[in-house]
Amino acid sequence: LVGFFVNTLVLRADLSGDPTFADLLDRVRRTDLAAFDHQDLPFQRVVEALAPPRVAGRNPLFQVMLGYHPVAGGTGGTVLGLPVVGVPEASTETAKFDLDFIFADEAEHERLSLTLEYATDLWDATTAAAIARRMVALLEQVAADPDRPVRELDLLTAQERAQALDAGPALPVPANTAAGLFADAVRRCPDALAVVAPDATWTFAELDARANRLARVLRAQGAGPERVVGLALPRSADGVAAVLAVHKAGAAYLPVDPDNPREHVAAALADAGAVLLLTTSALARCCPPGPDTCCSTRPTRWRRSTRPTPPRRRSPCARSIRRT
């Protein structure tokens, strides 16, 4: 009998209410047990029922896998009445997920090993090694104090913390704003190319005129000093004009990744106190409820929005690192 006796279960952790790690562990346990009641349902059936946007080279529903594998010492014993024979782990050099944390519990040696497989187009070796170190640091902290709140867990090393807190000597800042600096450039070279993109090519004067029109719309909708405008835009010339328009309106902008889940985007907008969300007419239906107004980068078109856009494509190359 030969087969792949593994089924994938998609799980979501509940971090609401400021839980301790022990609380979170109990929540995850209950979620796992509930999911195991339906483990006979093939993963592909779940994908077909939910029908998420499919992108070549990207796994649907989730992009981070965690596996726990008890490892029997040596060869021997039986499973399902069949003899167990250990074989060396082979690498396919292909990433199935963005990150794949593989834990091997070697009880005989009282050792837990971690292998991290990562997609090389998303992470380099240095970053992947840092992620693995943070996972080990996280496990060490929760093992020492499981009643510690999750929000207090520290993933920075002493060196990283020192680098983050020590910004170095202050640099001179010009006595001007970003909008003012751009206005200076428009006066110097109005006919020079400012934006070259697949969807548009604009001179400084053209970009300035477009940003001015949009800035007037933003101010009419409540944007201004001490106000935040969310930007849910694709990489495009309109995105450049939108950032400049927010500066001209005197507001601050909050970049929003429309690939993120709706609740994450809504929480970011609420936390920033965004007065409105600026998006394209094509994505207007994809924004979460939050600010009172969502608008298109074309001032004459205004719409509300509800859902995120499909995820980005990635290639499947992989590397693995191992920590014990």
Side-chain angles (χ1 to χ4, degrees):
L1 181 63
V2 176
F4 184 64
F5 300 104
V6 173
N7 189 25
T8 301
L9 294 178
V10 182
L11 305 172
R12 178 174 292 176
D14 178 10
L15 293 169
S16 63
D18 194 22
T20 66
F21 180 78
D23 294 333
L24 177 61
L25 190 62
D26 182 63
R27 292 179 186 181
V28 172
R29 175 181 177 276
R30 285 186 273 113
T31 300
D32 288 359
L33 292 177
F36 292 154
D37 289 340
H38 306 283
Q39 61 182 328
D40 292 334
L41 182 65
F43 175 70
Q44 190 58 37
R45 289 281 302 278
V46 177
V47 175
E48 292 172 357
L50 296 177
R54 303 299 295 268
V55 178
R58 188 174 178 88
N59 190 67
L61 301 186
F62 69 96
Q63 287 75 48
V64 177
M65 169 70 87
L66 187 145
Y68 171 77
H69 307 282
V71 178
T75 300
T78 60
V79 174
L80 300 177
L82 301 173
V84 175
V85 177
V87 296
E89 182 178 347
S91 174
T92 62
E93 296 297 322
T94 300
K96 303 179 186 67
F97 315 101
D98 293 356
L99 293 171
D100 188 0
F101 295 89
I102 305 168
F103 288 93
D105 187 354
E106 304 173 67
E108 182 176 318
H109 302 289
E110 297 184 348
R111 180 173 61 188
L112 183 67
S113 298
L114 166 63
T115 299
L116 174 59
E117 184 178 279
Y118 60 95
T120 54
D121 65 329
L122 297 178
W123 319 96
D124 58 23
T126 301
T127 303
I131 292 173
R133 287 195 301 271
R134 284 171 168 78
M135 174 62 81
V136 172
L138 176 68
L139 294 175
E140 289 174 343
Q141 291 176 70
V142 299
D145 185 7
D147 293 322
R148 186 177 180 181
V150 173
R151 62 178 171 79
E152 294 182 1
L153 297 174
D154 191 357
L155 299 182
L156 293 179
T157 65
Q159 181 180 3
E160 290 169 338
R161 188 177 297 100
Q163 289 175 345
L165 296 177
D166 183 11
L171 299 177
V173 178
N176 205 341
T177 63
L181 292 172
F182 181 79
D184 293 341
V186 174
R187 285 191 292 270
R188 288 195 306 270
C189 47
D191 297 324
L193 284 179
V195 175
V196 177
D199 58 329
T201 299
W202 297 331
T203 65
F204 275 87
E206 291 169 334
L207 174 59
D208 187 52
R210 189 177 187 88
N212 284 337
R213 290 195 298 269
L214 182 55
R216 288 192 289 271
V217 173
L218 295 179
R219 283 194 293 267
Q221 294 298 316
E226 306 299 327
R227 299 289 184 89
V228 175
V229 175
L231 300 182
L233 300 168
R235 293 179 181 273
S236 63
D238 276 339
V240 177
V243 171
L244 182 57
V246 174
H247 281 296
K248 286 175 173 287
Y253 70 90
L254 174 68
V256 173
D257 186 352
D259 290 351
N260 286 338
R262 290 178 59 193
E263 57 270 22
H264 291 185
V265 175
L269 293 172
D271 186 61
V275 295
L276 60 103
L277 178 65
L278 180 62
T279 185
T280 64
S281 55
L283 296 180
R285 66 184 184 280
C286 301
C287 300
D292 292 336
T293 305
C294 297
C295 68
S296 165
T297 52
R298 290 173 174 79
T300 57
R301 303 173 67 182
W302 298 76
R303 303 181 66 179
R304 292 190 179 277
S305 52
T306 54
R307 292 169 43 189
T309 56
R312 299 178 298 273
R313 181 183 182 277
R314 67 170 178 80
S315 61
C317 298
R319 294 291 186 273
S320 296
I321 57 177
R322 182 181 175 88
R323 296 184 66 86
T324 300

